[in-house]
Amino acid sequence: MTAGEPAPRAKSHAPDAAPRTARGVAGCGGGTTLLVIAKEPVPGRVKTRLTPAYTPEEAAELAAAALADTLDAVLAAPARRRVLVLEGGTGPWLPPGIEVVPQGRGGLDERLAAAFGGCDGPALLIGMDTPQVTPALLAPALGEHAWRSCDAWFGPAADGGFWALGLAAPDPELLRGIPMSAADTGAVQRQRLTGAGLLVRDLPPLRDVDTPADAAAVAAAAPGSRFAAAVARMAGAGTR
């Protein structure tokens, strides 16, 4: 999971010595909160690994397109609440129907933990780096029986992180201390879940947009997206 740029590695946090009993939520009639953690697309502050192939302004435009595509998918998915957990201010990329709350303080692990800490029931969190996400990809973790005999959903990312994390009973301690933006972030996070005695189901792996090669691959995977259109427009302008 990346939200903007890599965060400092956090101190390790060992699971409780006594694993918790798995507790699938049958039915979950109240529905699931869908969270998106994101950073305001400001030049020089987002997608810096896309430069120098892209200018800071172009990188910010790609970030805004990716965020808009992500929020479109969120609006089309069944959810009890749709919440943008945002660092910075809103912009024209924000559609109606999305609640906005500020991110917490600290490293990315602490900010993810705080996002889950604000939920009072099942929650699924995704980032802004996978504009190829669709309601169909999210559906298994949001359906009527998503939490039947299941405590957590995990969406692995191609770079070793994760693009989605769902918890039937959100517990911030399940995220605190996870080393973020590392090659083993996903493995460590999933181990934290299973080590706590949770039953985990997996969503399909997706590729995050971090580098120019990622941008090209994700644009090809989502040809009708705003993100793909922005990549194509910049390529046509001869700046690549």
Side-chain angles (χ1 to χ4, degrees), residues 27 45 69 86 88 109 112 123 125 177 179 210 229:
R45 295 189 59 196
D69 286 331
L86 182 65
D109 64 314
L112 295 178
L125 180 143
D210 290 318

Side-chain angles (χ1 to χ4, degrees), residues 11 19 31 45 56 61 63 72 76 84 100 104 109 122 145 156 159 166 169 177 181-182 214 226-229:
K11 294 180 181 179
R45 295 189 59 196
E61 183 180 345
D72 280 350
L84 175 63
V100 180
D109 64 314
H145 303 302
D159 63 0
S181 302
D214 294 332
R226 291 182 179 86
F227 183 81

Side-chain angles (χ1 to χ4, degrees), residues 121-168:
L124 176 68
L125 180 143
I126 63 175
M128 62 181 287
D129 297 334
T130 50
Q132 72 273 43
V133 71
T134 64
L137 285 168
L138 299 173
L142 296 173
E144 180 181 358
H145 303 302
W147 304 105
R148 181 166 292 178
S149 300
C150 174
D151 302 309
W153 286 92
F154 185 79
D159 63 0
F162 59 94
W163 67 270
L165 178 63
L167 297 172

Side-chain angles (χ1 to χ4, degrees), residues 49-155:
R49 291 174 62 191
L50 291 178
T51 60
Y54 293 89
T55 68
E57 291 74 20
E58 289 173 330
E61 183 180 345
L62 290 176
L67 182 51
D69 286 331
T70 300
L71 295 178
D72 280 350
V74 166
L75 283 172
R80 181 167 71 101
R81 296 172 60 205
R82 299 167 180 85
V83 182
L84 175 63
V85 186
L86 182 65
E87 178 184 328
T90 61
W93 39 262
L94 179 67
I98 302 287
E99 301 175 46
V100 180
V101 299
Q103 285 186 26
R105 296 180 179 275
L108 182 53
D109 64 314
E110 290 287 346
R111 288 179 277 142
L112 295 178
F116 277 107
C119 298
D120 59 1
L124 176 68
L125 180 143
I126 63 175
M128 62 181 287
D129 297 334
T130 50
Q132 72 273 43
V133 71
T134 64
L137 285 168
L138 299 173
L142 296 173
E144 180 181 358
H145 303 302
W147 304 105
R148 181 166 292 178
S149 300
C150 174
D151 302 309
W153 286 92
F154 185 79

Side-chain angles (χ1 to χ4, degrees), residues 1 7-13 108-109 112 160-162 175-189 192:
M1 171 71 64
R9 291 181 67 95
K11 294 180 181 179
S12 61
H13 180 287
L108 182 53
D109 64 314
L112 295 178
F162 59 94
L175 292 105
R176 291 194 176 112
I178 299 295
M180 294 290 163
S181 302
D184 61 349
T185 294
V188 174
Q189 179 64 77
R192 174 72 65 80

